[in-house]
């Protein structure tokens, strides 16, 4: 019985390692997906700032007057594709799949409006 549990943990651990490696090596894919999200968010009136770290990140904020109110978005590999993550929420809950740029932009828009105007928009 113990051997079965150990094997399952090894398989799950190996999958996690493969996803981390795919995230690291897929920098071009991550950049492309973040560019698509950037265009959608700019159309909604948000501003974006790029951080070119080993894993590209996109800071989304309201403007020069409220630069400290924003969220950091990153792209990570998951089983079956890629997902957008808010770095402040941790890596347990993805925002949306990279195939759903419109949905991701809507969810980030709602999140940022709730942070900018806490009493007006539901969080």
């Amino acid at each position: 019985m113990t051997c079965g549990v150990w094997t399952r943990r090894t398989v799950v651990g190996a999958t996690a390692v493969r996803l981390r490696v795919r995230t690291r090596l897929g920098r071009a894919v991550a950049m492309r997906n973040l560019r698509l999200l950037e265009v959608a968010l700019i159309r909604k009136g948000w501003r974006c700032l790029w951080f070119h770290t080993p894993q590209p990140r996109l800071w989304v904020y309201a403007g020069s007057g409220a630069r400290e109110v924003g969220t950091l978005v990153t792209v990570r590999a998951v089983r079956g594709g890629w997902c957008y993550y808010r770095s402040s929420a941790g890596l347990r809950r993805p925002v949306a799949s990279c195939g759903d740029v419109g949905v991701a932009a809507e969810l980030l828009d709602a999140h940022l409006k709730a942070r900018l105007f806490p009493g007006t928009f539901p969080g």
Side-chain angles (χ1 to χ4, degrees):
M1 190 72 172
T2 305
C3 185
V5 172
W6 183 81
T7 305
R8 188 175 316 149
R9 284 185 185 160
T10 303
V11 170
V12 170
T15 301
V17 169
R18 270 188 260 133
L19 290 175
R20 269 186 260 139
V21 168
R22 202 171 99 203
T23 298
R24 287 283 182 175
L25 297 178
R27 182 179 168 85
V29 175
M31 293 284 286
R32 184 178 66 236
N33 287 324
L34 283 173
R35 278 193 197 104
L36 292 172
L37 182 65
E38 178 187 25
V39 169
L41 288 169
I42 287 173
R43 286 184 184 151
K44 291 187 170 295
W46 298 102
R47 295 193 179 178
C48 300
L49 180 67
W50 283 90
F51 290 102
H52 294 284
T53 57
Q55 182 180 353
R57 292 179 170 98
L58 187 66
W59 176 252
V60 182
Y61 62 99
S64 60
R67 187 172 267 182
E68 65 276 353
V69 179
T71 191
L72 194 62
V73 180
T74 186
V75 174
R76 295 189 59 103
V78 294
R79 289 183 190 161
W82 294 80
C83 281
Y84 295 110
Y85 284 86
R86 267 191 7 240
S87 296
S88 59
L91 300 176
R92 304 233 183 254
R93 293 182 8 221
V95 173
S97 169
C98 286
D100 298 330
V101 177
V103 171
E106 284 293 327
L107 291 171
L108 288 169
D109 182 51
H111 168 72
L112 288 166
K113 282 181 181 176
R115 289 197 59 201
L116 262 170
F117 311 107
T120 309
F121 294 96

